[in-house]
PDB file of all heavy atoms in Angstrom:
ATOM      1  N   GLY A   2     -29.295   0.232 -47.536  1.00 60.00           N
ATOM      2  CA  GLY A   2     -30.252   0.992 -48.341  1.00 60.00           C
ATOM      3  C   GLY A   2     -29.583   2.147 -49.043  1.00 60.00           C
ATOM      4  O   GLY A   2     -28.453   2.517 -48.725  1.00 60.00           O
ATOM      5  N   GLY A  66     -28.316  -5.547 -24.676  1.00 97.00           N
ATOM      6  CA  GLY A  66     -27.485  -5.951 -23.542  1.00 97.00           C
ATOM      7  C   GLY A  66     -26.145  -6.348 -24.132  1.00 97.00           C
ATOM      8  O   GLY A  66     -25.979  -7.469 -24.602  1.00 97.00           O
ATOM      9  N   LYS A  71     -13.866  -5.916 -25.159  1.00 94.00           N
ATOM     10  CA  LYS A  71     -12.535  -6.533 -25.216  1.00 94.00           C
ATOM     11  C   LYS A  71     -11.543  -5.397 -25.444  1.00 94.00           C
ATOM     12  O   LYS A  71     -11.645  -4.693 -26.453  1.00 94.00           O
ATOM     13  CB  LYS A  71     -12.529  -7.514 -26.392  1.00 94.00           C
ATOM     14  CG  LYS A  71     -11.268  -8.288 -26.618  1.00 94.00           C
ATOM     15  CD  LYS A  71     -11.514  -9.257 -27.798  1.00 94.00           C
ATOM     16  CE  LYS A  71     -10.290 -10.028 -28.175  1.00 94.00           C
ATOM     17  NZ  LYS A  71     -10.567 -10.980 -29.273  1.00 94.00           N
ATOM     18  N   ARG A  74     -11.352  -1.907 -26.992  1.00 95.00           N
ATOM     19  CA  ARG A  74     -12.631  -1.451 -27.552  1.00 95.00           C
ATOM     20  C   ARG A  74     -13.476  -0.719 -26.502  1.00 95.00           C
ATOM     21  O   ARG A  74     -13.300  -0.916 -25.302  1.00 95.00           O
ATOM     22  CB  ARG A  74     -13.420  -2.634 -28.087  1.00 95.00           C
ATOM     23  CG  ARG A  74     -12.796  -3.257 -29.323  1.00 95.00           C
ATOM     24  CD  ARG A  74     -13.481  -4.581 -29.639  1.00 95.00           C
ATOM     25  NE  ARG A  74     -13.052  -5.109 -30.915  1.00 95.00           N
ATOM     26  CZ  ARG A  74     -11.868  -5.669 -31.136  1.00 95.00           C
ATOM     27  NH1 ARG A  74     -10.989  -5.759 -30.152  1.00 95.00           N
ATOM     28  NH2 ARG A  74     -11.560  -6.128 -32.329  1.00 95.00           N
ATOM     29  N   SER A  78     -19.737  -6.743 -28.575  1.00 98.00           N
ATOM     30  CA  SER A  78     -20.778  -6.895 -29.601  1.00 98.00           C
ATOM     31  C   SER A  78     -22.112  -6.398 -29.039  1.00 98.00           C
ATOM     32  O   SER A  78     -22.414  -6.628 -27.872  1.00 98.00           O
ATOM     33  CB  SER A  78     -20.865  -8.349 -30.045  1.00 98.00           C
ATOM     34  OG  SER A  78     -19.651  -8.712 -30.695  1.00 98.00           O
ATOM     35  N   GLY A  80     -25.778  -5.962 -30.661  1.00 97.00           N
ATOM     36  CA  GLY A  80     -26.946  -5.938 -31.547  1.00 97.00           C
ATOM     37  C   GLY A  80     -28.238  -5.799 -30.749  1.00 97.00           C
ATOM     38  O   GLY A  80     -28.239  -5.923 -29.526  1.00 97.00           O
ATOM     39  N   LYS A 105     -35.547  -4.967 -32.472  1.00 97.00           N
ATOM     40  CA  LYS A 105     -35.888  -5.824 -33.607  1.00 97.00           C
ATOM     41  C   LYS A 105     -37.200  -6.522 -33.301  1.00 97.00           C
ATOM     42  O   LYS A 105     -37.505  -6.804 -32.147  1.00 97.00           O
ATOM     43  CB  LYS A 105     -34.786  -6.838 -33.888  1.00 97.00           C
ATOM     44  CG  LYS A 105     -34.612  -7.874 -32.777  1.00 97.00           C
ATOM     45  CD  LYS A 105     -33.696  -8.994 -33.190  1.00 97.00           C
ATOM     46  CE  LYS A 105     -33.409  -9.950 -32.049  1.00 97.00           C
ATOM     47  NZ  LYS A 105     -34.314 -11.090 -31.986  1.00 97.00           N
ATOM     48  N   LYS A 107     -41.595  -7.335 -33.989  1.00 96.00           N
ATOM     49  CA  LYS A 107     -42.890  -6.655 -33.977  1.00 96.00           C
ATOM     50  C   LYS A 107     -43.201  -5.947 -32.654  1.00 96.00           C
ATOM     51  O   LYS A 107     -42.798  -6.411 -31.597  1.00 96.00           O
ATOM     52  CB  LYS A 107     -44.002  -7.685 -34.204  1.00 96.00           C
ATOM     53  CG  LYS A 107     -44.025  -8.254 -35.591  1.00 96.00           C
ATOM     54  CD  LYS A 107     -45.120  -9.310 -35.734  1.00 96.00           C
ATOM     55  CE  LYS A 107     -44.687 -10.659 -35.210  1.00 96.00           C
ATOM     56  NZ  LYS A 107     -45.545 -11.777 -35.632  1.00 96.00           N
ATOM     57  N   GLY A 128     -30.704  -7.572 -36.356  1.00 97.00           N
ATOM     58  CA  GLY A 128     -30.453  -8.508 -35.269  1.00 97.00           C
ATOM     59  C   GLY A 128     -29.334  -9.457 -35.640  1.00 97.00           C
ATOM     60  O   GLY A 128     -29.289  -9.959 -36.760  1.00 97.00           O
ATOM     61  N   GLY A 129     -28.434  -9.673 -34.703  1.00 96.00           N
ATOM     62  CA  GLY A 129     -27.323 -10.588 -34.956  1.00 96.00           C
ATOM     63  C   GLY A 129     -26.129  -9.948 -35.634  1.00 96.00           C
ATOM     64  O   GLY A 129     -25.099 -10.593 -35.793  1.00 96.00           O
ATOM     65  N   ALA A 130     -26.264  -8.671 -36.031  1.00 97.00           N
ATOM     66  CA  ALA A 130     -25.118  -7.978 -36.658  1.00 97.00           C
ATOM     67  C   ALA A 130     -24.342  -7.221 -35.584  1.00 97.00           C
ATOM     68  O   ALA A 130     -23.949  -6.061 -35.742  1.00 97.00           O
ATOM     69  CB  ALA A 130     -25.596  -7.043 -37.755  1.00 97.00           C
ATOM     70  N   ALA A 132     -21.351  -7.472 -34.053  1.00 97.00           N
ATOM     71  CA  ALA A 132     -19.944  -7.068 -34.153  1.00 97.00           C
ATOM     72  C   ALA A 132     -19.842  -5.821 -35.026  1.00 97.00           C
ATOM     73  O   ALA A 132     -19.060  -4.908 -34.751  1.00 97.00           O
ATOM     74  CB  ALA A 132     -19.110  -8.207 -34.735  1.00 97.00           C
ATOM     75  N   LEU A 133     -20.662  -5.786 -36.059  1.00 97.00           N
ATOM     76  CA  LEU A 133     -20.677  -4.650 -36.991  1.00 97.00           C
ATOM     77  C   LEU A 133     -21.257  -3.394 -36.316  1.00 97.00           C
ATOM     78  O   LEU A 133     -20.692  -2.303 -36.417  1.00 97.00           O
ATOM     79  CB  LEU A 133     -21.505  -5.059 -38.211  1.00 97.00           C
ATOM     80  CG  LEU A 133     -21.619  -4.128 -39.395  1.00 97.00           C
ATOM     81  CD1 LEU A 133     -21.556  -4.946 -40.685  1.00 97.00           C
ATOM     82  CD2 LEU A 133     -22.928  -3.363 -39.371  1.00 97.00           C
ATOM     83  N   ARG A 136     -19.095  -1.253 -33.918  1.00 97.00           N
ATOM     84  CA  ARG A 136     -18.160  -0.283 -34.510  1.00 97.00           C
ATOM     85  C   ARG A 136     -18.723   1.135 -34.572  1.00 97.00           C
ATOM     86  O   ARG A 136     -17.967   2.096 -34.724  1.00 97.00           O
ATOM     87  CB  ARG A 136     -17.808  -0.709 -35.934  1.00 97.00           C
ATOM     88  CG  ARG A 136     -16.920  -1.936 -35.993  1.00 97.00           C
ATOM     89  CD  ARG A 136     -16.628  -2.273 -37.432  1.00 97.00           C
ATOM     90  NE  ARG A 136     -15.476  -3.145 -37.556  1.00 97.00           N
ATOM     91  CZ  ARG A 136     -14.948  -3.509 -38.716  1.00 97.00           C
ATOM     92  NH1 ARG A 136     -15.480  -3.068 -39.847  1.00 97.00           N
ATOM     93  NH2 ARG A 136     -13.898  -4.293 -38.760  1.00 97.00           N
ATOM     94  N   ARG A 180     -43.749  -7.243 -46.314  1.00 95.00           N
ATOM     95  CA  ARG A 180     -43.788  -8.686 -46.507  1.00 95.00           C
ATOM     96  C   ARG A 180     -44.680  -9.068 -47.698  1.00 95.00           C
ATOM     97  O   ARG A 180     -44.423 -10.040 -48.398  1.00 95.00           O
ATOM     98  CB  ARG A 180     -44.333  -9.284 -45.206  1.00 95.00           C
ATOM     99  CG  ARG A 180     -44.621 -10.736 -45.233  1.00 95.00           C
ATOM    100  CD  ARG A 180     -45.161 -11.189 -43.882  1.00 95.00           C
ATOM    101  NE  ARG A 180     -45.527 -12.591 -43.963  1.00 95.00           N
ATOM    102  CZ  ARG A 180     -46.022 -13.276 -42.962  1.00 95.00           C
ATOM    103  NH1 ARG A 180     -46.220 -12.710 -41.785  1.00 95.00           N
ATOM    104  NH2 ARG A 180     -46.338 -14.544 -43.102  1.00 95.00           N
ATOM    105  N   SER A 185     -46.446 -15.622 -51.048  1.00 96.00           N
ATOM    106  CA  SER A 185     -47.320 -16.367 -51.950  1.00 96.00           C
ATOM    107  C   SER A 185     -48.128 -17.414 -51.197  1.00 96.00           C
ATOM    108  O   SER A 185     -48.960 -18.091 -51.759  1.00 96.00           O
ATOM    109  CB  SER A 185     -46.496 -17.020 -53.063  1.00 96.00           C
ATOM    110  OG  SER A 185     -45.455 -17.785 -52.518  1.00 96.00           O
ATOM    111  N   LEU A 186     -47.856 -17.558 -49.894  1.00 95.00           N
ATOM    112  CA  LEU A 186     -48.621 -18.499 -49.072  1.00 95.00           C
ATOM    113  C   LEU A 186     -49.167 -17.741 -47.866  1.00 95.00           C
ATOM    114  O   LEU A 186     -48.397 -17.196 -47.072  1.00 95.00           O
ATOM    115  CB  LEU A 186     -47.709 -19.652 -48.609  1.00 95.00           C
ATOM    116  CG  LEU A 186     -48.349 -20.681 -47.676  1.00 95.00           C
ATOM    117  CD1 LEU A 186     -49.456 -21.452 -48.366  1.00 95.00           C
ATOM    118  CD2 LEU A 186     -47.290 -21.643 -47.155  1.00 95.00           C
ATOM    119  N   ASP A 189     -54.666 -19.157 -43.038  1.00 82.00           N
ATOM    120  CA  ASP A 189     -55.914 -18.525 -42.558  1.00 82.00           C
ATOM    121  C   ASP A 189     -56.000 -18.562 -41.048  1.00 82.00           C
ATOM    122  O   ASP A 189     -55.213 -19.108 -40.343  1.00 82.00           O
ATOM    123  CB  ASP A 189     -57.155 -19.184 -43.179  1.00 82.00           C
ATOM    124  CG  ASP A 189     -56.956 -20.644 -43.482  1.00 82.00           C
ATOM    125  OD1 ASP A 189     -56.925 -21.440 -42.503  1.00 82.00           O
ATOM    126  OD2 ASP A 189     -56.785 -20.998 -44.657  1.00 82.00           O
TER     127      ASP A 189
ATOM    128  N   SER B  41     -35.679  -9.379 -52.719  1.00 96.00           N
ATOM    129  CA  SER B  41     -36.043  -8.150 -52.002  1.00 96.00           C
ATOM    130  C   SER B  41     -34.790  -7.295 -51.764  1.00 96.00           C
ATOM    131  O   SER B  41     -33.805  -7.794 -51.212  1.00 96.00           O
ATOM    132  CB  SER B  41     -36.709  -8.522 -50.673  1.00 96.00           C
ATOM    133  OG  SER B  41     -36.294  -7.668 -49.634  1.00 96.00           O
ATOM    134  N   ASP B  46     -29.742  -6.361 -48.750  1.00 95.00           N
ATOM    135  CA  ASP B  46     -28.918  -5.499 -47.887  1.00 95.00           C
ATOM    136  C   ASP B  46     -28.662  -6.174 -46.545  1.00 95.00           C
ATOM    137  O   ASP B  46     -27.548  -6.158 -46.033  1.00 95.00           O
ATOM    138  CB  ASP B  46     -29.632  -4.165 -47.607  1.00 95.00           C
ATOM    139  CG  ASP B  46     -29.523  -3.208 -48.788  1.00 95.00           C
ATOM    140  OD1 ASP B  46     -28.764  -3.521 -49.732  1.00 95.00           O
ATOM    141  OD2 ASP B  46     -30.205  -2.167 -48.763  1.00 95.00           O
ATOM    142  N   ASN B  54     -20.855  -9.033 -40.985  1.00 98.00           N
ATOM    143  CA  ASN B  54     -20.732  -9.204 -39.532  1.00 98.00           C
ATOM    144  C   ASN B  54     -19.949 -10.488 -39.193  1.00 98.00           C
ATOM    145  O   ASN B  54     -19.107 -10.487 -38.290  1.00 98.00           O
ATOM    146  CB  ASN B  54     -22.123  -9.262 -38.897  1.00 98.00           C
ATOM    147  CG  ASN B  54     -22.074  -9.342 -37.390  1.00 98.00           C
ATOM    148  OD1 ASN B  54     -21.715  -8.374 -36.720  1.00 98.00           O
ATOM    149  ND2 ASN B  54     -22.397 -10.502 -36.850  1.00 98.00           N
ATOM    150  N   GLU B  61     -11.723 -10.366 -36.040  1.00 96.00           N
ATOM    151  CA  GLU B  61     -11.364  -9.640 -34.815  1.00 96.00           C
ATOM    152  C   GLU B  61     -11.536 -10.492 -33.557  1.00 96.00           C
ATOM    153  O   GLU B  61     -11.286 -10.015 -32.454  1.00 96.00           O
ATOM    154  CB  GLU B  61     -12.208  -8.365 -34.706  1.00 96.00           C
ATOM    155  CG  GLU B  61     -11.947  -7.422 -35.878  1.00 96.00           C
ATOM    156  CD  GLU B  61     -12.692  -6.091 -35.742  1.00 96.00           C
ATOM    157  OE1 GLU B  61     -13.298  -5.831 -34.680  1.00 96.00           O
ATOM    158  OE2 GLU B  61     -12.653  -5.325 -36.719  1.00 96.00           O
ATOM    159  N   GLU B  62     -11.999 -11.730 -33.744  1.00 97.00           N
ATOM    160  CA  GLU B  62     -12.273 -12.618 -32.611  1.00 97.00           C
ATOM    161  C   GLU B  62     -13.147 -11.941 -31.562  1.00 97.00           C
ATOM    162  O   GLU B  62     -12.782 -11.772 -30.401  1.00 97.00           O
ATOM    163  CB  GLU B  62     -10.967 -13.150 -32.005  1.00 97.00           C
ATOM    164  CG  GLU B  62     -10.187 -13.974 -33.023  1.00 97.00           C
ATOM    165  CD  GLU B  62      -9.160 -14.883 -32.391  1.00 97.00           C
ATOM    166  OE1 GLU B  62      -8.393 -14.399 -31.559  1.00 97.00           O
ATOM    167  OE2 GLU B  62      -9.149 -16.076 -32.737  1.00 97.00           O
ATOM    168  N   PRO B  64     -17.582 -11.710 -30.450  1.00 98.00           N
ATOM    169  CA  PRO B  64     -18.804 -12.486 -30.629  1.00 98.00           C
ATOM    170  C   PRO B  64     -19.627 -12.019 -31.838  1.00 98.00           C
ATOM    171  O   PRO B  64     -19.782 -10.822 -32.059  1.00 98.00           O
ATOM    172  CB  PRO B  64     -19.576 -12.240 -29.335  1.00 98.00           C
ATOM    173  CG  PRO B  64     -18.558 -11.777 -28.351  1.00 98.00           C
ATOM    174  CD  PRO B  64     -17.507 -11.070 -29.130  1.00 98.00           C
ATOM    175  N   LEU B  65     -20.150 -12.984 -32.581  1.00 98.00           N
ATOM    176  CA  LEU B  65     -21.033 -12.700 -33.721  1.00 98.00           C
ATOM    177  C   LEU B  65     -22.248 -11.911 -33.263  1.00 98.00           C
ATOM    178  O   LEU B  65     -22.680 -10.961 -33.909  1.00 98.00           O
ATOM    179  CB  LEU B  65     -21.521 -14.018 -34.319  1.00 98.00           C
ATOM    180  CG  LEU B  65     -20.510 -14.800 -35.141  1.00 98.00           C
ATOM    181  CD1 LEU B  65     -20.733 -16.291 -34.982  1.00 98.00           C
ATOM    182  CD2 LEU B  65     -20.596 -14.384 -36.598  1.00 98.00           C
ATOM    183  N   GLN B  67     -24.386 -10.327 -29.648  1.00 97.00           N
ATOM    184  CA  GLN B  67     -24.216  -9.996 -28.217  1.00 97.00           C
ATOM    185  C   GLN B  67     -24.879 -11.045 -27.334  1.00 97.00           C
ATOM    186  O   GLN B  67     -24.477 -11.233 -26.191  1.00 97.00           O
ATOM    187  CB  GLN B  67     -24.767  -8.600 -27.908  1.00 97.00           C
ATOM    188  CG  GLN B  67     -26.269  -8.481 -27.744  1.00 97.00           C
ATOM    189  CD  GLN B  67     -27.022  -8.695 -29.036  1.00 97.00           C
ATOM    190  OE1 GLN B  67     -26.451  -8.548 -30.116  1.00 97.00           O
ATOM    191  NE2 GLN B  67     -28.304  -9.029 -28.959  1.00 97.00           N
ATOM    192  N   TYR B 104     -14.734 -12.555 -23.300  1.00 97.00           N
ATOM    193  CA  TYR B 104     -15.580 -11.352 -23.290  1.00 97.00           C
ATOM    194  C   TYR B 104     -16.964 -11.668 -23.851  1.00 97.00           C
ATOM    195  O   TYR B 104     -17.503 -10.924 -24.660  1.00 97.00           O
ATOM    196  CB  TYR B 104     -14.922 -10.200 -24.061  1.00 97.00           C
ATOM    197  CG  TYR B 104     -13.615  -9.771 -23.446  1.00 97.00           C
ATOM    198  CD1 TYR B 104     -12.412 -10.316 -23.875  1.00 97.00           C
ATOM    199  CD2 TYR B 104     -13.591  -8.861 -22.397  1.00 97.00           C
ATOM    200  CE1 TYR B 104     -11.211  -9.953 -23.280  1.00 97.00           C
ATOM    201  CE2 TYR B 104     -12.397  -8.491 -21.804  1.00 97.00           C
ATOM    202  CZ  TYR B 104     -11.210  -9.044 -22.258  1.00 97.00           C
ATOM    203  OH  TYR B 104     -10.035  -8.675 -21.668  1.00 97.00           O
ATOM    204  N   ARG B 106     -21.092 -12.494 -23.270  1.00 97.00           N
ATOM    205  CA  ARG B 106     -22.100 -11.978 -22.340  1.00 97.00           C
ATOM    206  C   ARG B 106     -22.602 -13.086 -21.414  1.00 97.00           C
ATOM    207  O   ARG B 106     -22.774 -14.218 -21.837  1.00 97.00           O
ATOM    208  CB  ARG B 106     -23.279 -11.401 -23.122  1.00 97.00           C
ATOM    209  CG  ARG B 106     -24.183 -10.550 -22.259  1.00 97.00           C
ATOM    210  CD  ARG B 106     -25.322  -9.979 -23.064  1.00 97.00           C
ATOM    211  NE  ARG B 106     -26.380 -10.953 -23.243  1.00 97.00           N
ATOM    212  CZ  ARG B 106     -27.506 -10.714 -23.905  1.00 97.00           C
ATOM    213  NH1 ARG B 106     -27.698  -9.539 -24.486  1.00 97.00           N
ATOM    214  NH2 ARG B 106     -28.428 -11.639 -24.035  1.00 97.00           N
ATOM    215  N   ARG B 172     -47.343 -22.426 -38.988  1.00 98.00           N
ATOM    216  CA  ARG B 172     -47.966 -21.431 -38.111  1.00 98.00           C
ATOM    217  C   ARG B 172     -46.951 -20.893 -37.083  1.00 98.00           C
ATOM    218  O   ARG B 172     -46.939 -19.700 -36.785  1.00 98.00           O
ATOM    219  CB  ARG B 172     -49.174 -22.062 -37.409  1.00 98.00           C
ATOM    220  CG  ARG B 172     -50.225 -21.059 -37.014  1.00 98.00           C
ATOM    221  CD  ARG B 172     -51.553 -21.708 -36.695  1.00 98.00           C
ATOM    222  NE  ARG B 172     -52.264 -22.151 -37.887  1.00 98.00           N
ATOM    223  CZ  ARG B 172     -52.898 -21.341 -38.734  1.00 98.00           C
ATOM    224  NH1 ARG B 172     -52.906 -20.041 -38.536  1.00 98.00           N
ATOM    225  NH2 ARG B 172     -53.518 -21.823 -39.792  1.00 98.00           N
ATOM    226  N   ASP B 175     -44.773 -18.486 -38.959  1.00 98.00           N
ATOM    227  CA  ASP B 175     -45.558 -17.313 -39.345  1.00 98.00           C
ATOM    228  C   ASP B 175     -45.752 -16.378 -38.156  1.00 98.00           C
ATOM    229  O   ASP B 175     -45.562 -15.166 -38.257  1.00 98.00           O
ATOM    230  CB  ASP B 175     -46.916 -17.782 -39.886  1.00 98.00           C
ATOM    231  CG  ASP B 175     -47.690 -16.665 -40.560  1.00 98.00           C
ATOM    232  OD1 ASP B 175     -47.182 -16.134 -41.568  1.00 98.00           O
ATOM    233  OD2 ASP B 175     -48.781 -16.309 -40.068  1.00 98.00           O
ATOM    234  N   GLU B 176     -46.122 -16.957 -37.016  1.00 97.00           N
ATOM    235  CA  GLU B 176     -46.348 -16.136 -35.813  1.00 97.00           C
ATOM    236  C   GLU B 176     -45.041 -15.548 -35.285  1.00 97.00           C
ATOM    237  O   GLU B 176     -45.012 -14.446 -34.754  1.00 97.00           O
ATOM    238  CB  GLU B 176     -47.035 -16.967 -34.724  1.00 97.00           C
ATOM    239  CG  GLU B 176     -48.527 -17.130 -34.996  1.00 97.00           C
ATOM    240  CD  GLU B 176     -49.180 -18.173 -34.092  1.00 97.00           C
ATOM    241  OE1 GLU B 176     -48.553 -18.619 -33.120  1.00 97.00           O
ATOM    242  OE2 GLU B 176     -50.333 -18.546 -34.399  1.00 97.00           O
ATOM    243  N   ASN B 180     -39.264 -11.892 -35.176  1.00 97.00           N
ATOM    244  CA  ASN B 180     -38.679 -11.958 -33.822  1.00 97.00           C
ATOM    245  C   ASN B 180     -37.461 -12.869 -33.650  1.00 97.00           C
ATOM    246  O   ASN B 180     -36.557 -12.525 -32.888  1.00 97.00           O
ATOM    247  CB  ASN B 180     -39.767 -12.338 -32.811  1.00 97.00           C
ATOM    248  CG  ASN B 180     -40.805 -11.246 -32.666  1.00 97.00           C
ATOM    249  OD1 ASN B 180     -40.685 -10.184 -33.263  1.00 97.00           O
ATOM    250  ND2 ASN B 180     -41.840 -11.498 -31.899  1.00 97.00           N
ATOM    251  N   GLN B 232     -42.266 -19.282 -48.693  1.00 98.00           N
ATOM    252  CA  GLN B 232     -43.351 -18.611 -49.432  1.00 98.00           C
ATOM    253  C   GLN B 232     -44.124 -17.661 -48.515  1.00 98.00           C
ATOM    254  O   GLN B 232     -45.046 -16.976 -48.954  1.00 98.00           O
ATOM    255  CB  GLN B 232     -44.307 -19.652 -50.018  1.00 98.00           C
ATOM    256  CG  GLN B 232     -43.694 -20.423 -51.183  1.00 98.00           C
ATOM    257  CD  GLN B 232     -44.532 -21.633 -51.584  1.00 98.00           C
ATOM    258  OE1 GLN B 232     -45.607 -21.864 -51.044  1.00 98.00           O
ATOM    259  NE2 GLN B 232     -44.022 -22.409 -52.526  1.00 98.00           N
ATOM    260  N   LEU B 233     -43.770 -17.631 -47.229  1.00 98.00           N
ATOM    261  CA  LEU B 233     -44.525 -16.782 -46.284  1.00 98.00           C
ATOM    262  C   LEU B 233     -44.163 -15.306 -46.428  1.00 98.00           C
ATOM    263  O   LEU B 233     -44.863 -14.435 -45.908  1.00 98.00           O
ATOM    264  CB  LEU B 233     -44.277 -17.245 -44.841  1.00 98.00           C
ATOM    265  CG  LEU B 233     -44.864 -18.616 -44.452  1.00 98.00           C
ATOM    266  CD1 LEU B 233     -44.377 -19.043 -43.073  1.00 98.00           C
ATOM    267  CD2 LEU B 233     -46.390 -18.582 -44.494  1.00 98.00           C
ATOM    268  N   GLN B 238     -34.759 -10.710 -41.410  1.00 97.00           N
ATOM    269  CA  GLN B 238     -35.174  -9.789 -40.330  1.00 97.00           C
ATOM    270  C   GLN B 238     -36.665  -9.450 -40.377  1.00 97.00           C
ATOM    271  O   GLN B 238     -37.114  -8.492 -39.754  1.00 97.00           O
ATOM    272  CB  GLN B 238     -34.347  -8.492 -40.347  1.00 97.00           C
ATOM    273  CG  GLN B 238     -32.882  -8.706 -40.004  1.00 97.00           C
ATOM    274  CD  GLN B 238     -32.697  -9.220 -38.579  1.00 97.00           C
ATOM    275  OE1 GLN B 238     -33.135  -8.593 -37.625  1.00 97.00           O
ATOM    276  NE2 GLN B 238     -32.084 -10.375 -38.433  1.00 97.00           N
ATOM    277  N   HIS B 270     -30.177 -16.817 -37.478  1.00 97.00           N
ATOM    278  CA  HIS B 270     -29.149 -16.941 -38.521  1.00 97.00           C
ATOM    279  C   HIS B 270     -27.752 -17.062 -37.925  1.00 97.00           C
ATOM    280  O   HIS B 270     -26.833 -17.545 -38.584  1.00 97.00           O
ATOM    281  CB  HIS B 270     -29.221 -15.769 -39.505  1.00 97.00           C
ATOM    282  CG  HIS B 270     -28.935 -14.434 -38.896  1.00 97.00           C
ATOM    283  ND1 HIS B 270     -27.664 -14.046 -38.543  1.00 97.00           N
ATOM    284  CD2 HIS B 270     -29.749 -13.406 -38.551  1.00 97.00           C
ATOM    285  CE1 HIS B 270     -27.724 -12.832 -38.024  1.00 97.00           C
ATOM    286  NE2 HIS B 270     -28.977 -12.417 -38.015  1.00 97.00           N
TER     287      HIS B 270
END
Side-chain angles (χ1 to χ4, degrees):
Chain A
K71 181 177 176 178
R74 291 169 172 74
S78 295
K105 67 170 174 93
K107 291 178 278 195
L133 185 140
R136 289 180 162 185
R180 173 180 176 180
S185 53
L186 177 65
D189 31 73
Chain B
S41 140
D46 282 351
N54 184 70
E61 298 185 8
E62 298 199 311
L65 285 146
Q67 79 291 339
Y104 298 93
R106 194 179 81 179
R172 207 164 285 285
D175 191 62
E176 282 169 11
N180 293 356
Q232 288 169 4
L233 291 172
Q238 293 296 303
H270 64 74

